């Protein structure tokens, strides 16, 4: 029998590799009986989906106000990008 | 929008990059690196590198997308560099599984909160605010692999190659990161609502 610690590990690994068939069977058997692991899986999957699907739009919209280059580095970069004086 | 309507073949305008794309690239870099100074550094490196390789710009995609592609590469270089100096031992500190499970591998009593609202009940903006806070509390290497894997959707082989770690090493790091994040987000949320 898998214990909850094993299951939490396998749930995470299942997001990164295909688990062997019998491992998956044992995983689902445990999940069918264990409310706590089921709850953990739900949170894990939500974090997984949300971060993949919305990371970029969040950078654009929500954090618009916070992130700005400092004036100093802005000037420095502009100097670096200016066409050479002839 | 206007990027789409522009003529497909156009010259780059390096002099306008800072005003046009600087803050966008900076925000992107901060979200991945969680460090303002590091973000400024990679943005500057990207501009310099873009200028040097301007001839390689095919002129078919938008200028911004092209610069973002260069920035992504610079971010990975930066992450690799900063993880080279941290040793793996640090990550054991971040292994919550020792705390959350008893000797038989069952969830400990304090890990069981009946009536825990699931994280998917969080509103999107709340979710991201809490996620961001919690990412900061992770050991830096764990946070780095999480960002590369989940936010950037890189495949595991690439990450292993970039960070020069084995696949099983990566799985362990990702497991610790996810476990810690899930716990942190949950308790942060409970604190706020109670
Ligand atoms: Zn369980």
């Amino acid at each position: 029998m898998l214990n909850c610690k094993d299951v939490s590990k396998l749930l995470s690994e299942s997001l990164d590799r295909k688990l062997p068939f019998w491992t998956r069977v044992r995983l689902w058997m445990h999940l069918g009986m264990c409310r706590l692991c089921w709850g953990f899986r739900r949170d894990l999957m939500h974090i997984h989906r949300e971060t993949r699907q919305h990371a970029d739009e969040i950078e654009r919209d929500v954090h618009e106000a916070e992130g700005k280059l400092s004036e100093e580095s802005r000037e420095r970069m502009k100097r670096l990008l200016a066409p050479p004086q002839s | 929008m206007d990027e789409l309507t522009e003529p497909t073949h156009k010259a780059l305008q390096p002099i306008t990059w800072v005003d046009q794309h600087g803050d966008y690239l900076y925000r992107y870099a901060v979200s991945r690196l969680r460090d303002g100074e590091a973000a400024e550094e990679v943005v500057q490196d990207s501009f310099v590198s873009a200028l040097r390789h301007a001839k390689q710009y095919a002129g078919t995609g938008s200028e911004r997308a092209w610069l973002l592609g260069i920035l992504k590469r610079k971010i990975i270089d930066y992450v690799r560099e900063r993880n080279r100096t941290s040793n793996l031992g640090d990550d054991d500190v971040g292994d919550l599984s020792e705390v959350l499970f008893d000797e038989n591998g069952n969830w400990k009593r304090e890990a069981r909160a009946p009536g825990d609202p699931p994280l998917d009940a969080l509103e999107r903006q709340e979710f991201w605010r809490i996620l961001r806070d919690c990412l900061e509390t992770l050991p830096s290497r764990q946070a780095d692999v999480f960002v590369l894997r989940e936010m950037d959707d890189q495949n595991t082989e690439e990450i292993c190659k970039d960070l020069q770690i084995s696949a099983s090493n990566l799985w362990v790091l990702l497991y610790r990161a996810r476990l810690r994040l899930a716990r942190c987000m949950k308790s942060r949320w409970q604190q706020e609502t109670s």
Side-chain angles (χ1 to χ4, degrees), chain B residues 153-165:
Chain B
D153 200 3
Q154 286 210 50
N155 71 44
T156 52
E157 291 85 44
E158 267 177 87
I159 300 173
C160 288
K161 199 162 64 117
D162 283 337
L163 300 186
Q164 291 168 317
I165 54 177

Side-chain angles (χ1 to χ4, degrees), chain B residues 131-186:
Chain B
L131 177 72
R132 201 162 286 269
D133 285 351
C134 286
L135 264 181
E136 303 248 344
T137 70
L138 258 55
S140 130
R141 196 181 175 91
Q142 284 178 27
D144 281 340
V145 295
F146 178 85
V147 167
L148 292 178
R149 177 77 184 123
E150 303 288 36
M151 289 169 74
D152 284 342
D153 200 3
Q154 286 210 50
N155 71 44
T156 52
E157 291 85 44
E158 267 177 87
I159 300 173
C160 288
K161 199 162 64 117
D162 283 337
L163 300 186
Q164 291 168 317
I165 54 177
S166 69
S168 58
N169 223 317
L170 177 65
W171 295 331
V172 169
L173 283 170
L174 284 168
Y175 169 61
R176 289 177 181 173
R178 288 171 179 140
L179 188 62
R180 185 165 272 264
L181 268 182
R183 292 311 298 179
C184 172
M185 291 185 73
K186 227 137 171 154

